[in-house]
């Protein structure tokens, strides 16, 4: 039993070490005054999923894209319940800037008090809510209509990267958040198709002949 516990601890230590190394690589390689406001913008863009919620509501207004909008909101809601309400409170992982105290001494024009480019986020680190909501929305769009899906995926990935750049999430946080978002999106799309809700919300024209 003791050996098993030690092996488990070493496994999590290995993940923590990998996460920290990737974050430091990003800080040392990409961080600069030019990218700081851009990455802050994308982080705020994904805040509480409001950008994606707004996009979903716009889609709901039009009959042709109504089912896509509803599926986006449902997938995001499921991801929120599982990730934010469930897993985050269960794991309660501290954010990287809270663990690496030295980070708060680094210069930041946008938020000098904390060393962060953005306002200090609330809640714990695992999984990333920004990553979950962004990938849930983008995956639904990618499945339903690639014309919307491809640009959405690019924006989603920039939001995800901004969370690493801004030092508020570990790589494993965003990867698991992304995975959760994709799973929620795929399940919702399949359920909507299986139950016929997809076609009822946005009826498809039947080609004659």
């Amino acid at each position: 039993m003791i050996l098993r516990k030690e092996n488990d601890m070493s496994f999590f230590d290995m993940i923590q070490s990998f996460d920290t190394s990737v974050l430091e690589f990003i800080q040392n390689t990409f961080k600069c005054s030019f990218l700081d406001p851009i990455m802050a913008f994308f982080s705020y863009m994904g805040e509480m999923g409001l950008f994606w919620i707004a996009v979903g509501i716009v889609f709901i207004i039009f009959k042709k894209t109504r089912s896509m909008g509803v599926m986006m909101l449902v997938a995001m809601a499921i991801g929120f319940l599982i990730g934010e309400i469930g897993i985050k409170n269960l794991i309660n992982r501290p954010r990287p800037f809270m663990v690496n105290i030295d980070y708060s001494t680094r210069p930041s024009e946008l938020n000098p008090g904390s060393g962060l480019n953005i306002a200090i986020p609330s809640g714990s680190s695992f999984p990333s809510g920004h990553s979950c909501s962004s990938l849930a929305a983008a995956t639904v769009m990618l499945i339903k209509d690639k014309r919307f899906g491809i640009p959405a995926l690019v924006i989603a990935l920039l939001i995800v990267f901004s969370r690493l750049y801004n030092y508020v999430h570990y790589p494993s946080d965003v990867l698991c958040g992304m995975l959760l978002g994709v799973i929620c999106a795929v399940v919702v799309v399949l359920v909507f198709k299986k139950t016929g809700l997809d076609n009822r919300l946005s009826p498809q024209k039947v080609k004659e002949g």
Side-chain angles (χ1 to χ4, degrees), residues 35-159:
L35 285 177
D36 279 354
I38 297 173
M39 290 296 108
F41 169 78
F42 279 108
S43 253
Y44 287 128
M45 190 179 187
E47 193 70 30
M48 297 175 65
L50 291 178
F51 169 74
W52 302 111
I53 291 171
V55 172
I57 291 172
V58 171
F59 282 152
I60 290 172
I61 294 172
F62 303 97
K63 198 168 187 178
K64 189 176 180 180
T65 56
R66 186 168 298 155
S67 66
M68 181 162 61
V70 172
M71 282 188 273
M72 284 172 61
L73 298 183
V74 171
M76 290 170 62
I78 295 172
F80 176 82
L81 290 173
I82 296 174
E84 296 291 309
I85 305 300
I87 301 174
K88 256 192 181 178
N89 291 312
L90 184 66
I91 304 298
N92 201 27
R93 185 186 197 185
R95 293 181 183 271
F97 71 87
M98 297 171 68
V99 175
N100 184 4
I101 305 300
D102 292 338
Y103 190 85
S104 62
T105 65
R106 301 182 184 187
S108 172
E109 294 179 2
L110 300 179
N111 196 351
S114 68
L116 297 176
N117 291 322
I118 57 175
I120 299 174
S122 60
S124 52
S125 194
F126 182 90
S128 166
H130 281 63
S131 303
C132 179
S133 60
S134 297
L135 266 294
T139 301
V140 169
M141 284 189 267
L142 198 60
I143 294 172
K144 291 291 296 175
D145 192 332
K146 288 183 174 58
R147 292 173 301 173
F148 296 113
I150 292 173
L153 184 60
V154 172
I155 293 171
L157 292 176
L158 285 169
I159 290 173

Side-chain angles (χ1 to χ4, degrees), residues 135-194:
L135 266 294
T139 301
V140 169
M141 284 189 267
L142 198 60
I143 294 172
K144 291 291 296 175
D145 192 332
K146 288 183 174 58
R147 292 173 301 173
F148 296 113
I150 292 173
L153 184 60
V154 172
I155 293 171
L157 292 176
L158 285 169
I159 290 173
V160 168
F161 180 75
S162 77
R163 304 306 282 172
L164 300 173
Y165 182 95
N166 291 321
Y167 216 79
V168 292
H169 278 295
Y170 292 104
S172 56
D173 298 337
V174 301
L175 287 173
C176 289
M178 291 168 71
L179 179 62
L180 177 60
V182 170
I183 291 172
C184 289
V186 171
V187 169
V188 166
V189 171
L190 289 175
V191 169
F192 269 61
K193 284 186 176 180
K194 190 75 173 177

